Amino acid sequence: MTWNPMLEPWLLVVVAVLLVGYVVYAAIRASARARLMWLGRLVMVLALVAALARPGIGTYSANVANDAVDVVFVVDTSASVGAEDWGGEAVRLEGMKEDIKQLAADHPGARYAMITFNSVASQRLPFTTDATALQEAVDLLTPEDGYYAMGSSPTVAADLLHEVLRDAVEADPEGERARLVYYLGDGEDTLNGEEEDFSESAGLVQGGSVLGYGTKAGAKVRAYDTYARDYADYIYDSGSYEPGISKIDEDTLDSIAQQLRVSYQHRDASSEPEAADVDVRRGTLAPDTANRMSFPIYWVFAMVIVGWLLIESFLLVRAGREVRDALTDQERREDAREAGDDV
């Protein structure tokens, strides 16, 4: 059982001693019949003290406000995220959008920022606590236009991520905030340029994850048409004129996770992403129990108080009716006496 008192513990003890002491004193001085009422009031006082202590039993997971957390989403928007291997024929980007929204819900109250990348990286959303702004930015995510795609690099966002994190650190001189990075991509390198390294950002984050999308078998890639705002035909291999196949590169994704010193998760439509556990009171990573709470049972004691108050109200109303009837009877007697009638 856990306790989360509404008052300071010492003040709750003082209140309890005063109330219990007064009721016991009154019960000792009362008549035998009235003493039963005071014993009932003693039960009510004890229930009140117990309710103020706010007891709880068991545990359950709860989302708590992560107002000391910065979350950066690094999202692959290259043409390959249009591959049809997310839970059937849905494209990878749809899974990424679902996961971003779920991870944001797992960190309510946090500041969110978003970086997207294909052949180049850009910051789509500066840090904001507006979850609606994040959702709108996510809804607007589209793959690179399939007809003009110039390839992509899974590491092209490394420098920009470090810059965003460095600015967040400089804006938090007392070091009270935790910074999380969620990288979402398939790891496929079609740019064949020089690889960048995320290691420089590792010391600026306290957690996060690299989330991988796609399958080893791969899938055909739908070509997104920027002008039609929809997916058109497939992207074709320029040599064979067959639809191109995009495959996940988990070695690259695992390497990025190691550079950032975060975990790697392979994602599919049958599961949910795992969010980092954060102790929002200190802005640092917390054990699994940091966001677990007890089931409150103070309402049980509150019901005892309400029950006794109803009994007191009933007895008070009945006593008032008896007094009123007695006064009415006395007035009748006096009226009859004044009229010379026998009482």
Side-chain angles (χ1 to χ4, degrees):
M1 180 175 289
T2 61
W3 304 90
N4 185 23
M6 299 181 186
L7 303 175
E8 291 293 331
W10 66 268
L11 182 58
L12 183 59
V13 171
V14 170
V15 171
V17 170
L18 291 176
L19 290 177
V20 171
Y22 173 76
V23 173
V24 171
Y25 173 76
I28 294 174
R29 292 180 57 86
S31 62
R33 181 178 178 181
R35 190 169 297 151
L36 293 175
M37 294 295 296
W38 281 106
L39 290 177
R41 290 165 187 156
L42 177 60
V43 172
M44 182 183 69
V45 166
L46 293 175
L48 174 62
V49 173
L52 289 174
R54 286 199 296 191
I57 57 174
T59 58
Y60 69 96
S61 296
N63 286 333
V64 292
N66 288 211
D67 57 1
V69 178
D70 293 334
V71 180
V72 184
F73 295 102
V74 183
V75 189
D76 186 351
T77 55
S78 61
S80 63
V81 299
E84 297 176 322
D85 53 6
W86 178 260
E89 295 184 355
V91 300
R92 294 171 187 169
L93 185 59
E94 294 306 313
M96 294 178 183
K97 290 181 177 182
E98 293 172 8
D99 285 353
I100 292 173
K101 293 177 181 179
Q102 179 59 54
L103 290 168
D106 290 334
H107 299 295
R111 293 200 313 165
Y112 311 106
M114 185 167 64
I115 295 172
T116 61
F117 67 91
N118 37 62
S119 59
V120 295
S122 60
Q123 186 171 2
R124 289 288 189 92
L125 185 71
F127 278 115
T128 178
T129 57
D130 188 347
T132 301
L134 173 65
Q135 180 169 335
E136 290 176 354
V138 171
D139 290 338
L140 291 173
L141 289 178
T142 59
E144 186 179 14
D145 193 312
Y147 296 107
Y148 304 101
M150 299 178 61
S152 64
S153 168
T155 62
V156 72
D159 288 343
L160 180 55
L161 174 62
H162 180 260
E163 180 182 334
V164 170
L165 291 171
R166 184 188 60 204
D167 291 344
V169 171
E170 292 176 354
D172 179 33
E174 297 183 2
E176 296 179 345
R177 305 186 66 83
R179 286 166 296 279
L180 308 178
V181 171
Y182 292 104
Y183 176 106
L184 301 88
D186 54 31
E188 192 172 40
D189 187 352
T190 56
L191 195 60
N192 297 320
E194 183 178 353
E195 290 189 4
E196 299 183 35
D197 197 312
F198 288 90
S199 299
E200 198 173 11
S201 297
L204 305 179
V205 300
Q206 286 71 48
S209 188
V210 171
L211 291 81
Y213 300 81
T215 60
K216 292 182 178 180
K220 295 187 293 184
V221 181
R222 296 296 300 265
Y224 184 80
D225 187 340
T226 302
Y227 299 101
R229 295 290 178 185
D230 199 358
Y231 294 95
D233 200 355
Y234 293 98
I235 294 179
Y236 290 85
D237 184 272
S238 58
S240 64
Y241 298 101
E242 294 290 332
I245 302 297
S246 173
K247 301 179 182 180
I248 188 173
D249 186 342
E250 292 195 283
D251 290 338
T252 295
L253 294 172
D254 187 62
S255 176
I256 294 173
Q258 291 183 38
Q259 292 168 17
L260 287 170
R261 284 181 266 177
V262 298
S263 62
Y264 169 70
Q265 304 177 46
H266 178 256
R267 296 291 303 117
D268 59 54
S270 64
S271 60
E272 293 186 354
E274 296 181 8
D277 292 316
V278 180
D279 185 343
V280 299
R281 294 168 297 180
R282 295 189 300 273
T284 58
L285 290 185
D288 293 340
T289 57
N291 63 338
R292 302 188 70 82
M293 300 181 67
S294 299
F295 291 97
I297 58 172
Y298 66 88
W299 57 271
V300 175
F301 301 99
M303 292 300 294
V304 173
I305 298 171
V306 171
W308 181 256
L309 289 177
L310 289 175
I311 293 175
E312 290 261 12
S313 298
F314 171 76
L315 295 176
L316 184 62
V317 170
R318 189 178 67 175
R321 184 181 297 114
E322 291 175 353
V323 171
R324 186 179 63 249
D325 292 343
L327 291 174
T328 301
D329 186 61
Q330 183 178 357
E331 289 177 356
R332 289 175 179 173
R333 290 175 179 273
E334 292 177 352
D335 290 343
R337 187 180 298 109
E338 291 177 359
D341 297 332
D342 295 333
V343 179

